[in-house]
Amino acid sequence: MIAVERLIAFRYLRARREEGFISVIASFSLVGIALGVGTLIVVMSVMNGFRIEMLRQMSAISGQLGVQGNRDGLQATPDLLTRLRAIPGVAAANPSAEGQVIAIDGDRVRGVLLRGITPEDFRARTPLAAAIEGTPAVRDRYRALCRSDDDKPIDWGTLKSFGDDFTVVIGRRFADLMGLKVGDRLQLISPVSIVTPLGVMPRSATATITAIFCAGMYDYDANFVYAPMADAQRLLNLGNKVSTIEIFLKEGTSLSEARRVVTQVVGLQGWVFDWYQANFGFFAAIQGQTNVMFVVLTMIVLVAAFNIVSSLVMLVRTKTADIAILRTMGATRGAILRLFLLDGLAIGGIGVVVGAALGLAFAANIEAIRQWLQHTFGLVLFDETLYLLAEMPSHIDWQEVVGIGVMALVFALAASLYPAARAARLDPVEGLQRE
């Protein structure tokens, strides 16, 4: 009987000429579900990609864990660094001296974060050093992330002289904002004051720009200046102390377990924090936006699914005589119920398949589509100064895709229950009399 039910159900979906309006309504329901499912997949993929890309960039530049001292700094002794690097899962533990300074070039002034690290540490951070001295393929990819509107070639400099005298490496966006290039001199003023015969004065130093980096994140490229460790310590008045020890973990290492062990090793010398705590407000905002977008777009799928109600109700009214004949031939109420549920699931299922295919194709090529739309219509669809990334990211979570499809099918099934139940309750004699 199931095969017969399926045959009749699909026959009902192929409307005759006088039932064309029902077919139009069903088609709109199908298209609505497809668009809702596709849009939901694209949006969730972009939000997932945004979160993952931000995590990847931040952990590659600043590490997954950090150890911070008090206001006077942290004593990064060789013994402490050795014990931290010996922790299972720790790839590197590097000290850094950082603080807010004012960068001045002529009449241009900008607040930046000065970060002092060793030349070896800088080279080990791929997002920072890749655009300067990476392999040709990697170098070109990172340089493309920070392309400017005029696409003029620039001198990215070299790291060979980084560490000689007071040299700094600046971000591409910062160089554009300040009109700087390799070889220029940049004055840095620290809020830490010193006592002079003329009174209390802020610490100041002039550095030479030796290279320009491109991390692909606007926040880093526009607001970070890297300097040799000793020069940064002197400008920030840290002495032989550092402000933070950045800890990089190996892939697959448990963040919570690594933090527990690091806390035991550090003891009372400093406070241990992870990337989430350091950027709590930012990632909480991303999660909130993701949840809101999911709820809003789910409503679109829900509305489209419940359009099935109107199409099936009208289908039941036009098929009253057919239902009555089926009942007199021995079809049970359950068979009639399943027949119209199959119609609703067919509309929802086709919509889910079409929507998933469109959504996956769009999500996989989102950056190419964005570039084409921007160049063709002059639109700004993804402002890197706002979203902190140079490219629109996308990450397809297959479990999430399956969940969206199942959810849409459940909505379609729920929308089919009322008209299917109404058809199942139809009395054969009453149906024949209506005809």
Side-chain angles (χ1 to χ4, degrees), residues 1 3-13 326 339 343:
M1 185 64 180
V4 175
E5 294 169 7
R6 186 165 57 248
L7 177 65
I8 297 173
F10 293 157
R11 175 64 184 83
Y12 281 175
L13 288 178
L326 288 173
L339 191 151
D343 281 338

Side-chain angles (χ1 to χ4, degrees), residues 62-133:
S62 300
Q64 292 89 346
L65 291 173
V67 181
Q68 193 170 38
N70 54 31
R71 293 181 58 185
D72 297 329
L74 174 67
Q75 196 73 46
T77 61
D79 176 64
L80 176 60
L81 294 176
T82 300
R83 287 187 290 132
L84 288 174
R85 291 164 181 164
I87 296 175
V90 172
N94 302 320
S96 66
E98 64 179 41
Q100 294 286 343
V101 298
I102 298 174
I104 301 177
D105 177 59
D107 58 350
R108 294 185 176 94
V109 179
R110 184 175 177 84
V112 295
L113 183 68
L114 177 67
R115 177 172 289 182
I117 59 178
T118 64
E120 295 75 17
D121 186 12
F122 187 91
R123 288 186 172 90
R125 308 188 188 204
T126 301
L128 298 178
I132 305 171
E133 58 179 25

Side-chain angles (χ1 to χ4, degrees), residues 182-423:
V182 171
D184 287 351
R185 305 277 287 176
L186 181 66
Q187 185 179 7
L188 300 175
I189 299 178
S190 168
V192 179
S193 59
I194 57 175
V195 179
T196 69
L198 299 178
V200 178
M201 302 287 289
R203 288 178 175 268
S204 175
T206 301
T208 302
I209 299 172
T210 187
I212 297 175
F213 72 86
C214 172
M217 295 179 62
Y218 187 88
D219 191 35
Y220 284 93
D221 295 332
N223 299 308
F224 277 66
V225 172
Y226 287 86
M229 175 72 75
D231 295 312
Q233 288 174 319
R234 184 167 55 253
L235 185 61
L236 298 172
N237 196 30
L238 289 173
N240 61 351
K241 295 183 178 180
V242 299
S243 55
T244 308
I245 298 177
E246 297 171 324
I247 299 175
F248 297 82
L249 302 179
K250 298 177 182 177
E251 187 175 354
T253 303
S254 170
L255 183 66
S256 58
E257 178 63 20
R259 180 178 177 180
R260 183 186 64 81
V261 179
V262 169
T263 301
Q264 293 177 349
V265 171
V266 173
L268 300 178
Q269 299 179 67
W271 171 61
V272 181
F273 61 92
D274 57 37
W275 59 263
Y276 188 80
Q277 286 177 305
N279 304 278
F280 176 78
F282 182 76
F283 285 104
I286 292 179
Q287 188 60 48
Q289 291 177 355
T290 303
N291 295 337
V292 170
M293 294 297 292
F294 183 84
V295 171
V296 171
L297 294 175
T298 298
M299 293 299 102
I300 297 176
V301 179
L302 184 61
V303 170
F306 273 88
N307 282 335
I308 296 174
V309 175
S310 58
S311 62
L312 289 187
V313 166
M314 296 184 66
L315 182 62
V316 170
R317 291 182 65 86
T318 60
K319 299 298 182 181
T320 299
D322 293 357
I323 295 171
I325 293 172
L326 288 173
R327 290 295 310 281
T328 58
M329 293 175 64
T332 63
R333 293 182 184 273
I336 301 299
L337 179 70
R338 290 191 295 271
L339 191 151
F340 286 95
L341 285 179
L342 279 174
D343 281 338
L345 282 176
I347 296 173
I350 296 173
V352 167
V353 171
V354 173
L358 292 176
L360 292 173
F362 204 96
N365 300 280
I366 188 69
E367 175 60 19
I369 295 172
R370 178 186 78 94
Q371 292 289 351
W372 179 79
L373 290 174
Q374 290 193 164
H375 285 93
T376 303
F377 300 102
L379 303 174
V380 179
L381 301 177
F382 186 79
D383 188 353
E384 62 186 36
T385 63
L386 177 63
Y387 296 104
L388 308 179
L389 294 175
E391 292 183 342
M392 181 178 286
S394 177
H395 174 77
I396 298 173
D397 186 336
W398 291 103
Q399 290 184 345
E400 201 168 62
V401 171
V402 172
I404 292 171
V406 171
M407 178 189 68
L409 287 176
V410 170
F411 288 165
L413 180 62
S416 307
L417 285 175
Y418 169 71
R422 183 175 176 179

